[in-house]
Amino acid sequence: MTAVPESPESAPSGLSPQPGRDAAALPDRAAVQRRTVNVLMAAQIFIGVGMGAVISAGSLLVERLTGSQAAAGFATTLVTLGAAALSVPLAALSRSRGRRAGLGTGVLIAAAGSLVVLVAAPLGWVPLAFLGLLLVGAGTAANLQSRFAATDLAEAGGRARALSLVVWSVTVGAVLGPNLTGPGAGVARALQLPGEAGAFVFSGVAYLLGWALIHTRLRPDPMLLAARLNPGETTGRGARFLTRMSGALRHVAASPSALTGLIALVLGHAVMVSVMTMTPVHLAHHGASLSVVGFTISLHIAGMYAFSPLVGRAADRFGRVPVILAGQVVYVAATLLAGTAGDRRWAVTAGLFLLGVGWSCATVAASTLLSESVDAAHRAEVQGASDMLMGLVGAAGGALSGAFVAVSGYGGLNAAAAVLVLPVSGCALYFGLRKR
């Protein structure tokens, strides 16, 4: 009887390919990388729909359920906190069972969270709605980790491009998602739900479709195949994930380039989340309809994702640090424009668009810098830790944003967010000068 070659997914992690049979069984790296990026791009479209629908409707739904403007910011806070809480377990799952298991589980949890919100909304059960929003955060965690999955098999010179393509693919779904707020109101009426809850119907369906695509098409698994192709880079794989993550963070702290990337990722995300969280509420209080709110968030998300391939090319050509610094300049322009807009909707919309562009510059360049600045043996743990820190700081920004608006207005919120540009710029300039 002829032996069946063992697939890359079924082999124990970290085992080097044996001469002969195992070596012949390994698929072509470049071909698998192309397939991986294509599958991730397609899945990100559905994940983007789910994320965009929640962003535009979540804060409005929480304000309706609680009757408090200050509490509206907790919608994005809870989603971001859920992403932070689940990023490390999902990264650990990816480490042990591959990206297909980690990403797929995150998207499936997000779909369940949308269902929980739909159950809680008509009943007015605020704690249950908050639980659903926490679970929806798993979709954000999967979205963030997808960009790193695109680099598992990428050659060194193509990492920024592969990462930026996966980030870019979110554009279609993420721009479409917020615009489902208006149609979602009609669906909500048919299902006897609050109008703001209708978007979660689209969110749940989109997440399920994204999970199905990852579960069935992300084969062979890029992380498991990378472990077999590069067995020397998987030392210590049997150690506990959390123990290895603490060591990975020490590894980041000892590397100026990795530390710069991490700080730019975390604080840049806080700027974006804090301003974006309260923008739907600000617009609604100035008479904007749900359609206008959805359009504004759509342009914001387009700024986040649509130009990422150009940002990736710029990061490859001009360097990671210059692109990070360019993002900080755009952040200042965005917060200045939105913060002084008052009731001028066009200015708020333009400011939110620039806010997204700044996030794209910071995230693509900083993610690439961080990923390539750490040893492959620590990479999964560093990626999980960075996403967790992004989520925690973003959650704090979202939680405080409602209080800032209540005390100092929308302009005060933008001013406070702009201050976070200073430490990022300082670290990037220091690293850039030290490198020269």
Side-chain angles (χ1 to χ4, degrees), residues 221-281:
D221 190 282
M223 177 167 276
L224 298 185
L225 179 58
R228 295 190 70 197
L229 291 173
N230 305 287
E233 296 182 344
T234 58
T235 304
R237 179 175 288 270
R240 291 182 59 195
F241 188 88
L242 292 178
T243 302
R244 289 180 51 78
M245 191 176 72
S246 63
L249 289 176
R250 291 193 296 270
H251 183 62
V252 170
S255 169
S257 59
L259 188 60
T260 298
L262 182 62
I263 291 174
L265 268 177
V266 171
L267 295 187
H269 192 64
V271 173
M272 187 276 293
V273 170
S274 59
V275 175
M276 178 270 297
T277 297
M278 293 306 296
T279 298
V281 177

Side-chain angles (χ1 to χ4, degrees), residues 308-376:
S308 55
L310 298 178
V311 173
R313 289 186 179 183
D316 282 335
R317 180 174 181 179
F318 302 111
R320 319 310 188 202
V321 171
V323 175
I324 291 173
L325 290 172
Q328 307 313 301
V329 174
V330 177
Y331 270 147
V332 172
T335 53
L336 180 63
L337 184 58
T340 59
D343 59 357
R344 294 174 298 162
R345 296 174 189 171
W346 69 266
V348 176
T349 301
L352 262 288
F353 173 76
L354 290 177
L355 189 74
V357 174
W359 182 90
S360 180
C361 292
T363 301
V364 170
S367 296
T368 307
L369 180 63
L370 176 64
S371 186
E372 68 189 10
S373 298
V374 296
D375 296 337

Side-chain angles (χ1 to χ4, degrees), residues 169-247:
S169 64
V170 183
T171 306
V172 176
V175 171
L176 176 63
N179 286 300
L180 296 175
T181 304
V187 173
R189 285 193 298 271
L191 298 176
Q192 297 183 345
L193 298 171
E196 298 84 354
F200 286 86
V201 176
F202 296 114
S203 174
V205 172
Y207 280 133
L208 285 175
L209 292 174
W211 167 80
L213 192 57
I214 291 171
H215 184 71
T216 59
R217 303 295 295 171
L218 196 61
R219 299 171 184 270
D221 190 282
M223 177 167 276
L224 298 185
L225 179 58
R228 295 190 70 197
L229 291 173
N230 305 287
E233 296 182 344
T234 58
T235 304
R237 179 175 288 270
R240 291 182 59 195
F241 188 88
L242 292 178
T243 302
R244 289 180 51 78
M245 191 176 72
S246 63

Side-chain angles (χ1 to χ4, degrees), residues 7 15 21 49 55 63 84 119 136 165 189 193 306 348 413:
S7 71
L15 293 181
R21 181 176 64 85
V49 171
I55 287 173
E63 184 180 24
V119 172
V136 167
L165 285 174
R189 285 193 298 271
L193 298 171
V348 176
L413 171 64

Side-chain angles (χ1 to χ4, degrees), residues 87 155 158:
S87 60
E155 299 294 340

